[in-house]
Amino acid sequence: MTNILISGASIAGTTAAYWLRRHGFTPTVVERAPAIREGGYKVDIRGAAIDVIERMGLLEAVRARSTEMRHVTHYDATGRRVATMDADLFGGRHGGDAEIMRGDLNELLYDLTRDDVEYIFDDTITGIAEDGTVTFERSAPRRFDLVIGADGVHSVTRRLVFGEEERFRRDLGCHISISTVPNHLGLDREEAVHVAPGRTANVYSTRQDPTAKALFMWSSAPLAYDHRDTARQKELLAEAMAGAGWEVPELLEAVRRSDDFYFDSVSQIHMDRWSSGRVVLVGDAGYCASPASGQGTSLALVGAYVLAGELARGAEGALDRYEAVLRPFVEANQELGPANLKGMVIGSRLAIRIQLMMIRLLPHLPGRDRMIERVAGAIHRAANAIALADYTTVQG
Ligand SMILES: Cc1cc2nc3c(=O)[nH]c(=O)nc-3n(C[C@H](O)[C@H](O)[C@H](O)COP(=O)(O)OP(=O)(O)OC[C@H]3O[C@@H](n4cnc5c(N)ncnc54)[C@H](O)[C@@H]3O)c2cc1C
């Protein structure tokens, strides 16, 4: 097994390409976008994923591009400041964990591989035959020994080989939207939040970013809309946030004008198996934990490292070993999604008042450290729920 096609050039795809190349394989990456996707939102790299980054020699570069967020301030509907919290505590980060913009991480991973991995942009897989022949929308058909689907939560590879997304998607009862907006509040490495029953509005600006990101999450049943119809999605967001106070009307107006609008349901992907024949899934494509878990990036990094490492240890049984090594880690991290969401989108005014009171009192409580450990402990345990094998010197 030498020639491996990877569909998707984001976190999982570029990481898999790096490790496969390092183990002596010849990976090719096909990406639907015309270039590596820049920008995006802030993501966390925690626990075992930090070890993967270190083994790739990227730890210093990741730290140099850290978001350097300082604190998160809560505001009520009238714009009154009601509570402030340390950003690392808010993000459940522990010790060496890092926070970085997704686009920055993607760029670092791409730069590490671009000279010795073939990247095909602006194309997509249209079919995968049992003998490994892959057809593309634009490129000529080619045969590969293995196809890795790293094409995200709405994976085309998964649909072609395993079936429609609905079979595997578990909606968590919420929608999310994020856009780049002017930094009209003058935020400096800080985040501002307004929590109302069933809907949360959030705006932040990270280190050296002259703009801000507006992020909205709200409870909702599954919504029917065309995935390409951004104007309709912006209307759905405006309907969900109608009547909200604080800075929400200004933010919605800025979102209406933004050109990098992201909109999706908050959902997870659950599958009994991540491989079939010559095809295997990695990252969100196989086991999306949802943005609410805060662990999607780490799962993509660790998943790609383990998959490439097991392939290098020997093709025979490699996909079974990948599954066996990774599944408990994936399950532990997927559990965080619904649990965290309860603290992000809150149903009642009383529960919001209690949450804000806890944030205000926390620094003064006698059992402060134990309580903080309870908040950050679950994510820390899940982020470290795997003993990473050292594949660094294995040759395939
Ligand atoms: C709003 C939001 C906030 C988030 N916050 C966090 C956070 O705080 N912490 C965290 O760890 N994670 C967070 N995540 C999750 C994280 O971004 C993902 O889990 C992570 O990027 C998964 O990486 P991936 O490579 O598997 O998939 P993706 O990053 O989704 O990449 C998929 C790639 O495949 C490409 N692609 C799609 N279809 C095709 C096709 N047909 N052919 C070729 N290429 C294709 C896409 O263009 C993309 O480049 C967040 C996600 C969102 C949406």
Side-chain angles (χ1 to χ4, degrees), residues 7-13 30-33 37 41-44 102 123-125 150-153 156 176 178 262 282-285 291 294-298 300:
S7 172
S10 181
I11 313 304
V30 59
E31 164 61 47
R32 190 174 50 187
R37 293 171 67 183
Y41 33 86
K42 52 188 172 62
V43 297
D44 295 300
R102 188 176 92 149
D123 207 350
T124 176
I125 294 177
D151 36 13
V153 63
V156 163
I176 184 167
I178 185 159
Y262 171 87
V282 65
D284 275 8
Q295 276 293 92
T297 304
S298 294

